[in-house]
Amino acid sequence: MEKFDVKTKGAIGGLFVIAIALGFAGGKMRPAPPVEPGAKNDKPIVSETGTGIVVTKAADWEEKFPNEFASYMKNDENEEIHSYLELHPYLKTLYRGYGFAIQYGSARGHTYVVEDVQSTGRPHKMANCYTCKTSNLTAKALNDGDSAYAMAFDDLTKEITDNFGCFHCHENEPGVLYVTHRYLSDAVAGDLDSVPVQTLSCGQCHSEYHFNPETKATTLAYTGLKTMNPDDMLKFYNTGFAEPFADWTDEQTGVKKLKVQHPEFETFLGAGSPHASNMTCADCHMGTTTAADGTQYTNHYWISPLDNKELLENNCAKCHGTSLADTVEKIHEEINGRTDALGERLAALDAKLIKAVADKTLSEKDLAEVRENFRTAQWYWDFVFVENGDGAHNKTLATKCLDSAEEYIVKLEAVLGK
Ligand code: HEC
Ligand code: HEC
Ligand code: HEC
Ligand code: HEC
């Protein structure tokens, strides 16, 4: 896949600059922004629908916001990618029959999203796969509603002018934080004002989602923060539809499986998180940087806080001293070690279940219960496996999920054997 060139792609973006010069925003007069571009907002602002808004692509902001743009372009340096399937071979068993068993690469910088989704090797039918990638789909969903998600993937590809982009978080007013992905504000619902805008902006994509079976629209599995936890989300997938929701059904075992996807938002804000009430995603993954001329700006190079020296010294060290890296490493070792061990145990049970199905050794009732328990165990295991903090965002919740996964694995082992 060719690298998406942020600066040269996008004739529409170019036309848009002319449109701004004429005083129009994408063919539509926009009301005056709530604050000057570059200024900030405390309370969430949810993007309006049906306004015909057109994306101003990232490169068009370079002149006006050189520091933010330059730090955004630094995401190109976060280019490393490794194959989860090679690192954890048991995944091929647990994800068998689903795209992630074919190719599953680790995450890297935001400026790679378009080429990474286009080159996964997993089949893409619909534009909804671009939800957390190009802001062109974000604008389209605001303008056209859910039908945007159901467009053919290849048709949307032709309309892309913006690789990731500023629009996801700022609409066309850099500095002001918008919720442009309205499925998030729909899900957080009445609790929206209680979540900091600097956490909502990341939760737009770093959250557990599914595609609505009817509309194909990207949707989250909760309404309000009270049901935003792994137990209630599973309950929703089990009972919130005419049939229990499944991302896919494994042909060999008949287990109706759920694929969890990067639930950073739900994990960081979940019960037990030591920093949920006093920090935001941006505090730890962006931070403030001082340019050579003394200007302070928000760093748009999204990296681990452990790789941000200025942040560690000015902020984390106040409470963690110099021990944060050790603390994080210990959490990773414990959580990742346990996740792998449970994943291996579940994969071993898969082989036993295939045999039990083939040999018809279980009654219909027992088989149904085993399948249900397998689904449940894999849900709780995956909630930790795919969470990018590897325990660092909320060790208490990660541990609780692994305990639940283990509880169901033990039940399965009692029936199928160890
Ligand atoms: C993933 C979300 C996200 C994206 C994408 C994003 N920003 Fe930001 N931006 C933020 C956050 C968070 C802040 C801090 C705002 C606050 O603390 O209120 C911010 C602040 C800013 C500010 C205010 C001044 C400052 O530096 O604090 C400007 C200007 C800005 N961004 C420009 C841009 C530009 C230009 C782009 C695209 C090249 C961009 N942003 C892309 C999240 C984002
Ligand atoms: C529009 C969707 C979207 C938004 C909004 C978003 N991200 Fe991301 N983020 C992604 C995707 C997709 C990837 C993986 C990119 C790839 O591998 O191609 C990613 C990757 C990352 C990575 C790199 C992970 C790695 O392993 O190198 C970090 C860190 C990150 N995001 C943090 C944030 C933070 C913090 C915010 C909010 C300020 C945010 N993201 C907002 C979609 C988003
Ligand atoms: C209190 C600080 C803190 C907050 C707040 C925080 N994170 Fe993290 N995050 C971490 C740490 C620590 C890691 C592990 C980094 C490492 O191992 O180097 C991490 C890892 C990540 C990664 C993987 C990055 C990588 O390079 O592998 C992503 C993506 C991420 N966080 C997104 C988010 C999102 C989205 C939010 C908000 C919902 C958030 N984080 C809130 C501290 C934080
Ligand atoms: C005001 C004090 C304070 C500051 C500042 C602070 N922390 Fe913490 N942090 C805590 C406390 C208290 C805990 C919970 C007890 C512990 O693990 O030490 C914690 C826990 C953590 C954990 C473990 C999470 C878990 O679930 O066990 C991580 C990771 C973390 N902090 C990262 C950071 C990062 C990154 C920064 C800087 C951006 C930071 N902290 C700044 C007080 C602070």
Side-chain angles (χ1 to χ4, degrees):
M1 188 65 221
E2 214 180 301
K3 174 89 185 80
F4 189 105
D5 188 330
V6 171
K7 297 207 181 183
T8 57
K9 277 252 175 155
I12 297 177
L15 288 176
F16 180 62
V17 173
I18 299 167
I20 293 186
L22 294 171
F24 289 92
K28 179 198 75 106
M29 280 291 241
R30 292 272 294 167
V35 277
E36 280 298 304
K40 300 183 177 184
N41 54 308
D42 292 332
K43 288 287 167 210
I45 307 174
V46 179
S47 291
E48 286 175 40
T49 56
T51 60
I53 194 164
V54 173
V55 168
T56 303
K57 66 185 167 73
D60 293 339
W61 294 115
E62 178 175 17
E63 215 172 307
K64 195 150 190 197
F65 303 111
N67 292 324
E68 288 81 0
F69 182 78
S71 63
Y72 167 87
M73 288 306 293
K74 258 179 90 75
N75 288 288
D76 274 357
E77 289 173 21
N78 179 2
E79 64 180 346
E80 225 177 284
I81 194 161
H82 52 257
S83 163
Y84 283 131
L85 299 178
E86 279 167 27
L87 283 174
H88 315 277
Y90 64 83
L91 294 180
K92 289 189 195 140
T93 304
L94 297 183
Y95 297 150
R96 184 181 56 232
Y98 202 52
F100 290 95
I102 301 168
Q103 202 259 26
Y104 196 0
S106 64
R108 54 177 176 164
H110 283 159
T111 46
Y112 289 99
V113 293
V114 168
E115 64 182 289
D116 284 351
V117 73
Q118 289 174 349
S119 62
T120 54
R122 301 193 295 258
H124 297 300
K125 282 210 301 255
M126 273 176 261
N128 52 16
C129 298
Y130 276 125
T131 305
C132 289
K133 278 69 186 188
T134 173
S135 68
N136 295 105
L137 179 62
T138 308
K140 210 173 181 65
L142 288 171
N143 292 331
D144 301 351
D146 288 351
S147 65
Y149 296 109
M151 269 177 79
F153 184 85
D154 293 340
D155 287 344
L156 194 93
T157 301
K158 293 182 204 125
E159 296 187 19
I160 295 179
T161 59
D162 201 29
N163 182 17
F164 199 75
C166 317
F167 186 95
H168 286 302
C169 300
H170 296 305
E171 251 198 25
N172 290 331
E173 292 155 26
V176 182
L177 289 173
Y178 279 85
V179 177
T180 56
H181 294 225
R182 288 178 61 114
Y183 53 81
L184 179 70
S185 45
D186 289 347
V188 178
D191 297 320
L192 198 67
D193 279 353
S194 70
V195 184
V197 287
Q198 300 86 349
T199 292
L200 286 170
S201 69
C202 313
Q204 300 187 97
C205 301
H206 290 267
S207 47
E208 154 57 16
Y209 69 91
H210 62 283
F211 296 138
N212 180 292
E214 274 145 37
T215 64
K216 310 299 174 199
T218 305
T219 314
L220 308 189
Y222 43 89
T223 308
L225 295 183
K226 228 173 135 186
T227 52
M228 192 184 80
N229 61 71
D231 305 332
D232 284 314
M233 288 160 73
L234 176 61
K235 212 176 285 167
F236 171 78
Y237 285 130
N238 287 342
T239 61
F241 303 83
E243 291 270 312
F245 181 89
D247 286 297
W248 85 107
T249 300
D250 180 74
E251 278 181 11
Q252 296 184 46
T253 57
V255 176
K256 291 184 171 27
K257 292 198 173 183
L258 295 165
K259 179 77 191 78
V260 190
Q261 345 246 0
H262 37 74
E264 282 84 71
F265 181 73
E266 294 83 357
T267 300
F268 172 61
L269 291 181
S273 164
H275 283 305
S277 61
N278 60 4
M279 282 196 183
T280 70
C281 310
D283 288 334
C284 286
H285 290 287
M286 297 176 78
T288 304
T289 294
T290 312
D293 67 358
T295 313
Q296 293 219 319
Y297 65 97
T298 303
N299 195 332
H300 285 62
Y301 182 27
W302 291 277
I303 47 168
S304 161
L306 302 180
D307 295 332
N308 185 338
K309 250 183 102 185
E310 204 173 342
L311 178 73
L312 289 175
E313 282 166 14
N314 298 340
N315 183 336
C316 323
K318 279 184 216 149
C319 301
H320 290 282
T322 53
S323 66
L324 186 59
D326 283 347
T327 305
V328 171
E329 198 186 313
K330 276 205 198 92
I331 294 176
H332 285 342
E333 264 174 28
E334 183 187 327
I335 297 297
N336 291 343
R338 219 181 142 199
T339 307
D340 272 342
L342 291 174
E344 306 265 9
R345 270 166 82 183
L346 200 53
L349 284 161
D350 174 272
K352 294 194 160 53
L353 181 52
I354 292 177
K355 191 161 185 324
V357 170
D359 298 350
K360 299 193 166 54
T361 49
L362 294 172
S363 70
E364 274 306 307
K365 185 172 160 284
D366 287 349
L367 183 58
E369 193 178 328
V370 163
R371 284 174 173 152
E372 183 70 25
N373 288 345
F374 204 110
R375 165 181 163 98
T376 306
Q378 185 158 337
W379 161 263
Y380 284 112
W381 161 83
D382 212 5
F383 209 92
V384 181
F385 180 80
V386 295
E387 207 280 328
N388 283 296
D390 293 345
H393 290 139
N394 187 347
K395 188 184 163 205
T396 305
L397 184 67
T399 304
K400 190 165 170 263
C401 284
L402 295 177
D403 288 348
S404 298
E406 184 156 19
E407 182 191 326
Y408 284 90
I409 287 172
V410 168
K411 281 187 197 178
L412 289 164
E413 286 170 345
V415 178
L416 297 169
K418 273 203 187 182

